[in-house]
């Protein structure tokens, strides 16, 4: 019985030693997995930080481009306004020269100063009315062109 008991004790000790060894191996494996997961978490946090920085840079670049496009739009608008103003001014000067020439011809041909004054007032009123119509027309054309330009720039952006 003692021999059997000794063998059982030895067998139990071996089994206990095996279990202890298996337990240590499992603990070592789990610790390695935990270490690997911590490393992976740190790496992912680093990647997340890099992505945040990249997102911030892209956002800043986008805002800068947006500001540049807005400045360009304003410059184009000012340029178009100036061009339209110059064209309108030239057109009005040409019409004024025509009206003055016509007026001079009519004045030379007329004897009555009263009729001439009335004709001058009529022509002046007509020129003023025409000038106002032209200003209104150019203002509307400018507004339409400005909106079209804005749409084009927004589409390009």
């Amino acid at each position: 019985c003692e021999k059997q008991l000794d063998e059982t004790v030895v067998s139990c000790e071996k089994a206990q030693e095996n279990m202890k060894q298996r337990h240590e191996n499992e603990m070592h494996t789990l610790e390695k997995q935990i270490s690997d997961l911590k490393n992976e978490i740190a790496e992912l946090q680093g990647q997340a930080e890099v992505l945040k920085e990249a997102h911030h840079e892209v956002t800043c670049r986008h805002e800068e481009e947006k500001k540049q496009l807005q400045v360009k739009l304003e410059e184009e608008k000012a340029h178009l306004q100036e061009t339209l103003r110059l064209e309108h001014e030239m057109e009005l000067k040409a019409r004024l020269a025509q009206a003055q020439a016509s007026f001079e011809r009519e004045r030379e041909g007329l004897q009555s100063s009263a009729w001439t004054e009335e004709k001058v007032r009529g022509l002046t009123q007509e020129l003023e009315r025409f000038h106002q119509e032209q200003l209104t027309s150019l203002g509307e054309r400018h507004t339409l062109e400005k909106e079209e330009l804005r749409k084009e720039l927004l589409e390009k952006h």
Side-chain angles (χ1 to χ4, degrees):
C1 276
E2 271 184 39
K3 187 177 178 182
Q4 204 174 19
L5 183 63
D6 285 342
E7 288 176 3
T8 303
V9 168
V10 168
S11 172
C12 280
E13 286 175 354
K14 282 184 181 179
Q16 188 177 13
E17 186 63 35
N18 284 339
M19 285 178 92
K20 185 178 176 184
Q21 187 64 36
R22 259 188 285 145
H23 177 69
E24 286 177 5
N25 287 342
E26 286 179 18
M27 286 295 292
H28 179 70
T29 302
L30 290 174
E31 286 172 355
K32 179 148 177 44
Q33 287 177 351
I34 288 172
S35 174
D36 291 346
L37 288 173
K38 284 181 180 178
N39 289 338
E40 189 176 341
I41 287 171
E43 185 180 318
L44 289 173
Q45 286 175 337
Q47 289 176 357
E49 191 62 35
V50 168
L51 289 174
K52 283 180 185 176
E53 289 176 16
H55 179 264
H56 179 70
E57 288 176 16
V58 167
T59 302
C60 289
R61 197 173 336 126
H62 172 72
E63 287 299 320
E64 184 62 33
E65 288 176 1
K66 187 176 175 182
K67 287 176 186 176
Q68 289 174 353
L69 285 174
Q70 189 67 31
V71 167
K72 196 173 188 178
L73 174 68
E74 292 301 321
E75 289 173 357
E76 286 291 322
K77 177 181 162 186
H79 176 69
L80 285 174
Q81 284 176 335
E82 183 63 20
T83 302
L84 287 173
R85 188 188 66 75
L86 290 175
E87 287 176 2
H88 179 66
E89 188 176 312
M90 290 172 55
E91 185 178 322
L92 288 177
K93 283 181 181 179
R95 288 187 184 258
L96 181 60
Q98 284 178 343
Q100 285 175 340
S102 174
F103 173 72
E104 288 298 322
R105 284 192 304 272
E106 287 182 15
R107 188 171 81 179
E108 290 171 1
L110 297 175
Q111 298 291 331
S112 170
S113 66
W115 187 85
T116 304
E117 287 177 23
E118 187 178 317
K119 186 73 171 171
V120 168
R121 273 190 234 113
L123 286 173
T124 304
Q125 289 174 351
E126 184 177 330
L127 283 174
E128 287 176 356
R129 182 185 54 74
F130 178 75
H131 177 70
Q132 288 299 323
E133 289 174 1
Q134 287 294 318
L135 282 175
T136 303
S137 172
L138 286 172
E140 292 171 357
R141 189 171 15 152
H142 169 69
T143 301
L144 290 173
E145 289 177 3
K146 181 174 75 172
E147 286 301 317
E148 289 175 10
L149 179 62
R150 185 178 300 227
K151 286 178 185 176
E152 287 178 22
L153 286 173
L154 286 174
E155 287 174 10
K156 287 180 183 176
H157 177 63

